[in-house]
Amino acid sequence: MKLNPMELYNLLPKTNCRLCEAKTCMAFATKMALGDVLPEDCPPLLEKGFEKNLEKLRDLVAPMQSAEETGIKLDESKCTGCGNCVVVCPVDVAVEPPTGRGKAGRSRDTVFIVENGVSKIINLEKCRRFPPDRLNCRVCEQYCCTDAIEIW
Amino acid sequence: MEDVVCNGCSLLCDDVVVEVTDGEVHSLGLCRLGHQHLLSSIESNSPQASTRESGKATEVSIDEALERAAELLLSSERPILYGWSGSTNETITLGLELAKTLGGIIATPANLGMTQALSHTLHSMDLGIDLEYVRNNGELIIYWGSDPTESSHRHPSKFAVLPRGENIPEGIESRTIGVVDVRNTETMKMANHRLIIPPGMDSAILEALVSEISGTSSIASDVAGIGPQELIGLARNIRKADCTVIFYGSGIINSGNADANLSGLQAFIEAVRGIGKQAFALPMAPESNIMGAIKSLSTDASTSSITDIVAGDFDAALVVGDDALVELPGSAAKALAQLPLVYIGPPGITSGKARVSICITDDVITGIGTMNRLDLVEIEFKQWNSQKEERLAEHDVMARLLELIRKEKS
């Protein structure tokens, strides 16, 4: 599921009121697309007249907020074991910093591990897409050259 | 788990670990290519030798096979000693000795273009950087006629595209990636600049980039089907980057215009250096020790081109470490298969056709010797103890064959 910040922005009050942390409504929409903020974090949106917009925004961000166990699929038959996912995954690099410099991962506390020639997801619950982070992170999918990783 | 050095491709990954328990192989960090190479090396671990007469193979002892091989090579007036790109540097040194002793000619798959590329004046331009330097400094990376996703799976993640380095703090976010190829390759998925060009048009693109980078003229219309905006954008990013590295492959070397393409690369590097930035060009080749073979054989060996095999210049062949009948172009493979053939190496198509075939234990298992990585850095194999069955290293077989031939000669 990809959230389009512009689509979210069009449903906001567009007042740039600065009542939230973001400096502009566009910045707020971008944060919402990444899962960093919720529609309720926009005070003017809770005011009378914006009920329909608030409902639409809640519907749009709901799939991301409800993601618990699914969202990433790794097709091992397509995987070449290149390790791109390990090197770009922020969680893996935080757990095992040498992987960020290209070293092969050995830790079993990471999201991905390249084992027996293919990448495997071993700790899906650590992915930043899921609670508590709920970020719309897709770097593994973005840099998987063989399209073995799919996020929906 | 034990540290190993993988010789599945020319990256010679030395940060991977393996464990073999009750025949079950478990690896961490090895790519699909490396893991499959390890599996097949373990499966064909038992040394075996055979001789073949009129198409009928007979299993013989290693000693008998070596005697038959020596006899066959000694009766030849002009043998070719082909292969070496999958052998250790120490085995190649023995091969050179053997070629001298027999008065034979030595050849490698590098003779299909890589040796010629490395002899081009391009490589007299102080290109001596290693892949660690690329990881730490390579800000603009271009894969030109090379596709690491197909042949050197970890090249982008370990060195050139994704990892963070000293001057590349954000990894891929700190780099710009370009891919130039004749088709839409999987590597292009990572690229900011994707240039799909018709075969043979590399030098035209290089020329356009050189003129744009050096400011002699601006690109106003399509070049080889690539629009001016795309080319100008790439040239702008090259001008901005402190260090540009081109990894060129068979698309540059084997597209029929190797000399023009390599001269184009040279002009490109001169142009980028002319604006005060760093620029390098490094070759890409998949064979595990092709760079070691080129380095060793460039010293004092009599080498041959592949066309000499087709022309029937040889009356016997020793093939070491390469499955030559699979790798060579059809006409050369056919000509080689018709010669009295001695084969030393892992089992394959060539071992099944040779008059004398000695199948050895792969160097990844014996863990002895050195090879040169793609960037010429020497990597030493690591010994590991999970494979304790009978081993027969290629190096040992070559040493025994050389000794036997020297004895017969004297």
Side-chain angles (χ1 to χ4, degrees):
Chain A
M1 180 201 63
K2 280 179 184 171
L3 289 179
N4 181 348
M6 192 51 91
E7 190 183 354
L8 301 178
Y9 172 75
N10 285 332
L11 293 168
L12 290 173
K14 299 177 203 159
T15 54
N16 293 334
C17 62
R18 295 202 178 194
L19 291 173
C20 67
E21 281 185 14
K23 287 181 179 173
T24 62
C25 291
M26 191 63 220
F28 183 84
T30 307
K31 276 173 172 276
M32 199 177 348
L34 292 170
D36 290 351
V37 294
L38 294 170
E40 294 76 28
D41 295 327
C42 169
L45 198 58
L46 303 175
E47 290 170 11
K48 208 174 172 186
F50 286 106
E51 293 86 353
K52 281 188 178 175
N53 288 21
L54 178 64
E55 195 181 337
K56 274 185 187 173
L57 282 166
R58 280 177 173 157
D59 287 346
L60 284 170
V61 301
M64 186 160 52
Q65 295 305 315
S66 63
E68 292 290 346
E69 293 296 333
T70 59
I72 303 179
K73 192 173 76 180
L74 199 159
D75 183 348
E76 289 180 14
S77 68
K78 286 184 180 175
C79 178
T80 61
C82 64
N84 286 5
C85 50
V86 177
V87 179
V88 296
C89 175
V91 176
D92 287 12
V93 174
V95 171
E96 198 176 11
T99 59
R101 297 190 291 278
K103 290 279 179 200
R106 297 184 186 185
S107 168
R108 299 207 73 88
D109 294 327
T110 47
V111 175
F112 297 98
I113 193 163
V114 178
E115 191 172 35
N116 294 341
V118 291
S119 184
K120 290 170 182 169
I121 297 173
I122 52 171
N123 292 299
L124 182 60
E125 72 284 359
K126 292 193 175 181
C127 174
R128 300 197 308 173
R129 295 178 59 79
F130 303 115
D133 296 322
R134 289 198 174 111
L135 296 175
N136 191 23
C137 178
R138 323 177 65 95
V139 280
C140 53
E141 180 192 49
Q142 189 182 348
Y143 293 109
C144 178
C145 290
T146 57
D147 293 333
I149 297 175
E150 195 186 332
I151 293 174
W152 70 92
Chain B
M1 297 197 94
E2 294 174 272
D3 290 335
V4 299
V5 169
C6 173
N7 59 348
C9 78
S10 53
L11 292 182
L12 301 174
C13 292
D14 56 358
D15 56 350
V16 292
V17 287
V18 169
E19 186 176 57
V20 182
T21 316
D22 300 329
E24 196 82 3
V25 184
H26 181 215
S27 73
L28 287 183
L30 279 176
C31 68
R32 184 182 282 270
L33 199 66
H35 186 75
Q36 289 302 322
H37 174 70
L38 180 71
L39 287 183
S40 60
S41 300
I42 289 173
E43 275 169 22
S44 57
N45 190 12
S46 308
Q48 51 182 309
S50 61
T51 56
R52 184 178 295 267
E53 289 297 335
S54 312
K56 193 184 167 198
T58 314
E59 205 161 301
V60 294
S61 70
I62 302 292
D63 287 335
E64 281 174 298
L66 282 168
E67 274 171 31
R68 180 77 188 99
E71 193 183 304
L72 201 147
L73 291 169
L74 281 164
S75 65
S76 159
E77 284 181 15
R78 191 174 159 80
I80 179 169
L81 285 71
Y82 181 84
W84 317 106
S85 72
S87 304
T88 63
N89 293 332
E90 293 73 16
T91 306
I92 298 170
T93 306
L94 292 175
L96 281 165
E97 291 292 320
L98 187 61
K100 275 184 202 163
T101 310
L102 288 168
I105 300 296
I106 209 154
T108 81
N111 292 90
L112 288 165
M114 189 56 79
T115 305
Q116 293 87 327
L118 292 176
S119 332
H120 191 273
T121 48
L122 163 70
H123 283 275
S124 59
M125 295 184 71
D126 189 19
L127 301 178
I129 55 165
D130 58 22
L131 290 169
E132 278 75 21
Y133 187 88
V134 177
R135 178 200 294 141
N136 288 325
N137 300 285
E139 210 176 312
L140 196 139
I141 306 293
I142 302 176
Y143 289 106
W144 202 305
S146 63
D147 186 10
T149 308
E150 292 284 346
S151 53
S152 313
H153 298 323
R154 291 190 65 203
H155 193 276
S157 71
K158 196 175 176 200
F159 298 111
V161 178
L162 302 166
R164 295 147 181 84
E166 279 168 24
N167 297 312
I168 308 291
E170 302 297 328
I172 178 72
E173 303 294 329
S174 305
R175 301 185 207 264
T176 302
I177 310 300
V179 177
V180 186
D181 216 307
V182 294
R183 63 193 172 93
N184 188 4
T185 67
E186 288 177 329
T187 308
M188 282 185 181
K189 192 177 172 193
M190 291 184 287
N192 309 89
H193 298 277
R194 305 172 180 96
L195 277 64
I196 300 174
I197 61 171
M201 295 307 287
D202 307 81
S203 56
I205 298 284
L206 283 163
E207 200 179 317
L209 286 173
V210 166
S211 66
E212 188 68 34
I213 292 164
S214 55
T216 50
S217 64
S218 188
I219 303 163
S221 56
D222 285 12
V223 179
I226 308 293
Q229 273 190 330
E230 175 59 44
L231 287 170
I232 291 168
L234 175 58
R236 193 186 304 127
N237 282 331
I238 292 167
R239 287 182 68 91
K240 272 198 283 184
D242 287 332
C243 177
T244 296
V245 184
I246 293 182
F247 290 99
Y248 69 87
S250 58
I252 286 279
I253 300 166
N254 298 121
S255 64
N257 298 320
D259 201 51
N261 293 343
L262 293 163
S263 298
L265 279 179
Q266 187 173 352
F268 175 89
I269 287 170
E270 280 165 3
V272 178
R273 289 181 180 178
I275 56 168
K277 304 293 178 80
Q278 291 185 344
F280 304 94
L282 299 177
M284 290 281 278
E287 296 90 349
S288 55
N289 196 27
I290 195 160
M291 301 311 281
I294 293 171
K295 192 181 169 192
S296 304
L297 304 181
S298 64
T299 50
D300 59 348
S302 302
T303 58
S304 159
S305 74
I306 301 302
T307 49
D308 295 339
I309 301 176
V310 184
D313 278 8
F314 307 103
D315 57 2
L318 167 68
V319 176
V320 180
D322 277 82
D323 203 352
L325 299 184
V326 175
E327 294 163 4
L328 281 170
S331 53
K334 270 183 195 166
L336 196 72
Q338 280 163 12
L339 296 175
L341 196 62
V342 176
Y343 175 77
I344 300 169
I349 300 292
T350 312
S351 66
K353 293 279 180 190
R355 285 208 197 161
V356 181
S357 170
I358 303 174
C359 292
I360 48 86
T361 311
D362 195 277
D363 298 313
V364 69
I365 294 173
T366 62
I368 301 167
T370 59
M371 284 190 177
N372 284 87
R373 202 170 63 183
L374 195 55
D375 53 357
L376 281 171
V377 169
E378 193 172 89
I379 306 284
E380 189 172 2
F381 279 97
K382 293 173 185 172
Q383 282 196 299
W384 53 301
N385 297 317
S386 292
Q387 293 291 297
K388 288 181 178 166
E389 299 91 20
E390 189 188 356
R391 293 171 182 177
L392 185 65
E394 190 178 86
H395 179 268
D396 297 339
V397 173
M398 275 299 295
R400 283 163 69 181
L401 181 63
L402 178 61
E403 192 187 336
L404 207 57
I405 286 175
R406 275 182 174 157
K407 202 168 144 190
E408 291 290 329
K409 275 255 177 188
S410 64

